[in-house]
Amino acid sequence: MILILTPNVDVKGAEYKRLMGVLSALPNVHSRVHNVHGAQQTLTEIYLIGDTSSLSLDDMRALPCVERVVRVSQSYRVLGRHKDDQRATGFEYNGVHFGQDNLNVFAGLCAVDTPEHVEQMMRALRENGQVCTRMGAYKPRTNPYSFQGHGKECLPYVFTLAGKYGIKVIAMEITHEDHVDEIRKALQKTGNKTGVMLQIGTRNSQNFELLKSVGRQNEFPVLLKRGFGITLEESLNAAEYLASEGNPKIVFCLRGMKSNMGDPHRNFVDFSHVPVVKRLTRMPVCVDPSHSVGTRESAPDGLLDVMHVTAQGVIAGANMVLVDFHPAPAEALVDGPQALLLKELPKFLEDIRIVREAYDKRVALARQE
Ligand code: PEP
Ligand code: MN
């Protein structure tokens, strides 16, 4: 059960203390407090965990400071959509809105290699009106002898250049909780000119200790990739691990499933799950066409498979696109063969705009009386 308190509740006040006193006396129920900091107000939600079936909604609603009460179903207690649940979807981060109602594009380098390539990428993004990007510093690789990413060494120039080119959010994978501190320190040292969305990759989607530690911090939002060989339910539970520890600022990313049924694509594209995730949870949904398709092959119509697949995600209502670009793919140290070229960026963005417009029209049509 979730108690949603009146906005900006005074947690030092007598009323709040009275509420907490009542809750702590409930048998076999313990409470966990979540604060959701929005642009205008702070919302406090109290999750009642344990034997809540005998509690009445009316009794709970009558408690001091309580504005609304939601009885949650068993699954996805924090992130799920529950009956009579009008809580907002999404969040703001560093001036960018992430919700189930909008779309952000994160085009950038799979792996940071040189400052020159980072700068060329970011300049192209600014020229095309983009304020988000992807930049991989810590790379989880199948082969221990492959390039593992520049790690913390590259963070100062990545963050400084992001500031120079007006980048507000960088999606950056972390593979260990220490990387969060390295990122935080590097951001501070470079004057907090940009923001970071911590990416948890498909290989770590069931690294529960990593999920818990990233969930315990509230500073950075999280982009959680779906596990490539587990069910959707298992991956949504991974997201719930993050949220249950206190960080509900999560974007869920579909990136294809590992199966040779997807051949000749790198993974079997699973973007039909965009509306499913939006129905089951309040998370914005991202699609990653690059790691799904894994090549620059194109169809006879002249469109790259990466663009076709992006369109399939966007027409289904995706809220974010994470896509690999590179100024010189032949020189890329990771995933060059699937990278789009900087000269393809304007067309890629226009293609997305066309498809998003079609999606908006489909929604309007569906809502017509
Ligand atoms: C990536 O986005 O760079 C990546 C490694 O993706 P995934 O975890 O989906 O394989
Ligand atoms: Mn990659």
Side-chain angles (χ1 to χ4, degrees):
M1 185 175 275
I2 306 174
L3 310 185
I4 299 156
L5 308 191
T6 43
N8 300 321
V9 71
D10 175 12
V11 295
K12 297 211 168 68
E15 295 278 88
Y16 183 80
K17 289 208 175 103
R18 206 149 62 78
L19 168 68
M20 296 313 277
V22 174
L23 298 181
S24 64
L26 293 174
N28 302 322
V29 173
H30 75 270
S31 35
R32 189 180 256 172
V33 180
H34 284 238
N35 288 309
V36 186
H37 300 284
Q40 263 99 47
Q41 58 185 25
T42 296
L43 260 190
T44 302
E45 296 179 350
I46 300 183
Y47 294 84
L48 300 183
I49 299 159
D51 189 10
T52 57
S53 54
S54 58
L55 302 178
S56 108
L57 287 179
D58 286 340
D59 288 352
M60 292 294 114
R61 216 176 281 125
L63 292 174
C65 309
V66 175
E67 189 171 85
R68 275 183 302 129
V69 181
V70 178
R71 197 184 282 288
V72 301
S73 46
Q74 271 316 97
S75 46
Y76 323 134
R77 290 173 183 220
V78 182
L79 295 170
R81 286 182 176 274
H82 307 291
K83 199 166 168 285
D84 303 325
D85 184 359
Q86 281 110 38
R87 289 175 300 156
T89 68
F91 55 90
E92 295 284 317
Y93 176 63
N94 211 23
V96 182
H97 174 70
F98 295 89
Q100 286 194 340
D101 53 357
N102 74 334
L103 175 61
N104 295 298
V105 178
F106 280 61
L109 306 182
C110 176
V112 170
D113 41 31
T114 67
E116 292 73 29
H117 288 153
V118 172
E119 180 149 24
Q120 285 167 24
M121 184 72 233
M122 290 186 179
R123 189 182 299 123
L125 289 167
R126 187 176 65 183
E127 281 166 11
N128 286 279
Q130 299 300 298
V131 295
C132 299
T133 189
R134 59 160 294 151
M135 290 282 152
Y138 308 94
K139 298 305 299 178
R141 305 303 304 281
T142 304
N143 185 329
Y145 307 112
S146 302
F147 173 62
Q148 304 283 311
H150 288 311
K152 66 177 178 192
E153 309 305 324
C154 68
L155 301 182
Y157 68 77
V158 170
F159 295 159
T160 303
L161 287 166
K164 177 173 171 188
Y165 290 98
I167 300 293
K168 295 189 176 308
V169 187
I170 303 174
M172 180 174 280
E173 179 162 1
I174 50 130
T175 56
H176 193 281
E177 59 182 283
D178 289 352
H179 300 158
V180 183
D181 295 328
E182 291 175 9
I183 288 171
R184 185 182 297 109
K185 284 193 187 116
L187 282 171
Q188 277 163 3
K189 270 201 166 149
T190 50
N192 288 314
K193 297 279 178 2
T194 189
V196 170
M197 177 178 274
L198 303 173
Q199 185 176 323
I200 296 188
T202 197
R203 291 160 190 80
N204 274 316
S205 62
Q206 284 193 311
N207 182 342
F208 300 116
E209 296 311 314
L210 181 66
L211 294 169
K212 285 193 246 175
S213 70
V214 172
R216 281 195 288 270
Q217 63 78 41
N218 227 305
E219 185 179 352
F220 303 108
V222 184
L223 178 65
L224 176 70
K225 294 254 188 131
R226 177 185 191 170
F228 56 46
I230 58 176
T231 62
L232 182 64
E233 188 186 351
E234 286 164 332
S235 290
L236 295 178
N237 272 304
E240 187 73 13
Y241 258 97
L242 291 160
S244 68
E245 292 291 333
N247 189 350
K249 289 178 275 183
I250 308 165
V251 178
F252 186 82
C253 182
L254 298 168
R255 47 81 72 206
M257 305 302 294
K258 201 177 193 71
S259 160
N260 57 6
M261 299 301 158
D263 292 356
H265 289 162
R266 184 171 170 182
N267 286 290
F268 198 29
V269 181
D270 54 352
F271 297 172
S272 55
H273 277 163
V274 169
V276 180
V277 179
K278 290 172 79 170
R279 171 168 75 242
L280 293 176
T281 77
R282 294 177 299 121
M283 288 185 283
V285 182
C286 176
V287 292
D288 175 344
S290 304
H291 290 82
S292 299
V293 167
T295 72
R296 285 185 46 83
E297 294 296 321
S298 56
D301 56 19
L303 286 154
L304 293 167
D305 289 13
V306 170
M307 289 174 71
H308 271 298
V309 163
T310 303
Q312 288 160 18
V314 173
I315 200 83
N319 307 111
M320 174 169 159
V321 176
L322 183 76
V323 57
D324 289 0
F325 273 74
H326 198 283
E331 293 166 30
L333 298 176
V334 185
D335 285 347
Q338 71 194 22
L340 303 191
L341 312 174
L342 296 192
K343 65 171 195 260
E344 291 169 329
L345 183 59
K347 266 196 190 159
F348 182 78
L349 293 170
E350 176 60 10
D351 197 47
I352 288 178
R353 199 197 56 72
I354 292 168
V355 182
R356 176 72 189 183
E357 194 178 295
Y359 167 73
D360 287 337
K361 285 185 185 157
R362 293 176 65 220
V363 172
L365 182 65
R367 286 188 178 150
Q368 256 172 38
E369 290 297 311

